[in-house]
Amino acid sequence: MAKIQAIRGMNDILPEQTPVWQFVEDTVRKVLSQYGYQEIRMPIVEQTELFKRSIGEVTDIVEKEMYTFDDRNGDSLTLRPEGTAGCVRAAEEHGLLFNQTRRLWYTGPMFRHERPQKGRYRQFHQIGVECFGMAGPDIDAELLVLTARLWKELGLAGHTRLEINSIGTSEARKVYRQALVEYLNQYKSDLDADSQRRLQSNPLRILDSKDPSTREILAGAPKLDSYLDEESRAHFDRLRELLDAAGIAYTVNPALVRGLDYYGKTVFEWITDSLGAQGTVCAGGRYDGLVEQLGGKPTRAVGFAMGLERLILLLETLDLVPAHVNSDADVYVTAMGEGAMAPALALAEELRVALPEAVVVSHCGGGSFKSQMKKADKSGARYAVILGENEVANGTAGLKPLRSDEPQRELTWKELSLALAEALKN
């Protein structure tokens, strides 16, 4: 019978890999908590209409990438391709946005049917941050200060750079879009295939094209900043002042747009040059019209998302995963003989109480002294606790260092806890 394997582009995260994930998630959680952000958890399946109305029906995501199916009631459901729409839906449905401001964050898997490549998969994981009810550029600036702080905490401060832009209001973009399409139509046959397709459906995404011949054509195209409304221009100028005051370095990239229809005014990306073409590690911006678009009252909003796979890949590529981040045990408790089995379980539990930060693994399954010590060594533990029937009778245990030449010692259980507490400090 053929073995069943994982779906292409949907990867298992193995026990040897999860400590790095936990390190990143815990670091993000700590930073967001310090800034007063609250966690929200949404379902991974939503009504398809939610994404059609929020992301836009003529985007690549909705047209080609969503996992959509009819359930038994005939309702069209979709595995979430991104988190913002679901967060807005949940916040509006539960009255979280009525006459109040909110700072929310979430994490979990997202799904897009696209060609899997390094750092980009069909099931991928994001951390998203969404802020509601704040109109000024100060909250935009806070998000960028927050992410800069996160890069410092992860050791990535010198390996990311910030690009920002303003894409104005939807009214300003309509006027600009018309001018851009008129210009690009003159060169339609010279554009790359993706850009030709986007010319009618989503022409602003052409500004993001990496095709060399299309880039040449775009050099002479009308510039979006020439079409900005006064409110968006003032908002962006003040944002830049705030970032300058906070010491956050950035580049204004006039070609920076976002692929989702709901963005307006501020957009930004944190980029690394260490992962080749897959350089964006965090991206976001303002989406002041989305809550109303989904049936709520007009609500100012801004947020970002970062891909965990790409962030972890960057840490590993740059060899920035801290040495303490591993799945190794600290102490391995052996049980030599039937009479030592129950006392060994009790001793291991005592050590866990006395050493709450330590990983204490109990040997289970029996076996000879040699085989148990092999497993102790393989666990990565720094110390083995040896408990045989003689030690049980004497109320003692052997403490054997596994990563140094120190001699083995015979200690009472109380002495053992104290000795391990001291030894594991170093």
Side-chain angles (χ1 to χ4, degrees), residues 318-343:
L318 297 170
D319 198 22
L320 289 174
V321 178
H324 70 272
V325 177
N326 57 60
S327 56
D328 291 345
D330 295 302
V331 180
Y332 194 95
V333 180
T334 64
M336 307 298 175
E338 186 69 28
M341 197 175 291

Side-chain angles (χ1 to χ4, degrees), residues 382-413:
R382 292 168 58 187
Y383 294 91
V385 171
I386 300 168
L387 195 65
E389 293 177 353
N390 288 339
E391 285 82 6
V392 170
N394 297 330
T396 61
L399 179 62
K400 180 177 178 60
L402 299 176
R403 311 292 161 205
S404 71
D405 295 330
E406 298 170 62
Q408 179 175 325
R409 291 185 283 166
E410 195 81 9
L411 302 167
T412 66
W413 285 21

Side-chain angles (χ1 to χ4, degrees), residues 129-335:
V129 174
E130 318 290 356
C131 306
F132 299 99
M134 292 164 269
D138 48 353
I139 188 63
D140 305 20
E142 178 183 277
L143 286 178
L144 296 170
V145 170
L146 182 158
T147 41
R149 167 78 177 282
L150 179 60
W151 306 146
K152 287 179 186 174
E153 294 287 327
L154 291 172
L156 293 171
H159 303 281
T160 57
R161 55 188 170 83
L162 174 62
E163 292 187 354
I164 62 174
N165 194 23
S166 177
I167 58 174
T169 61
S170 58
E171 292 78 13
R173 285 198 305 281
K174 281 176 189 172
V175 179
Y176 173 67
R177 171 182 169 141
Q178 186 177 345
L180 181 64
V181 170
E182 285 176 6
Y183 171 80
L184 292 176
N185 268 329
Q186 304 171 74
Y187 306 95
K188 185 173 181 180
S189 60
D190 298 319
L191 296 172
D192 63 278
D194 264 354
S195 296
Q196 288 183 29
R197 183 174 54 80
R198 286 172 171 159
L199 194 53
Q200 296 307 318
S201 63
N202 200 350
L204 264 64
R205 287 305 310 278
I206 300 174
L207 299 176
D208 229 0
S209 173
K210 304 298 186 288
D211 181 78
S213 60
T214 300
R215 298 293 322 155
E216 282 184 33
I217 294 168
L218 287 169
K223 303 300 182 224
L224 177 56
D225 60 2
S226 304
Y227 291 77
L228 284 186
D229 54 287
E230 283 307 310
E231 183 190 346
S232 296
R233 196 181 302 280
H235 187 102
F236 192 57
D237 288 345
R238 183 60 177 142
L239 171 62
R240 294 179 64 184
E241 290 171 5
L242 292 169
L243 292 178
D244 290 340
I248 305 295
Y250 61 87
T251 302
V252 176
N253 178 0
L256 177 61
V257 293
R258 303 293 301 132
L260 309 181
D261 280 0
Y262 52 62
Y263 283 107
K265 291 187 179 176
T266 306
V267 291
F268 58 85
E269 289 187 0
W270 287 93
I271 297 167
T272 180
D273 297 317
S274 301
L275 294 178
Q278 301 300 317
T280 302
V281 291
C282 174
R286 277 211 159 260
Y287 51 95
D288 291 343
L290 181 57
V291 176
E292 186 178 12
Q293 195 177 317
L294 293 177
K297 292 184 177 179
T299 304
R300 303 298 181 98
V302 61
F304 67 75
M306 60 180 71
L308 283 173
E309 280 86 353
R310 205 170 294 178
L311 206 50
I312 289 164
L313 178 61
L314 180 59
L315 287 170
E316 291 174 341
T317 300
L318 297 170
D319 198 22
L320 289 174
V321 178
H324 70 272
V325 177
N326 57 60
S327 56
D328 291 345
D330 295 302
V331 180
Y332 194 95
V333 180
T334 64

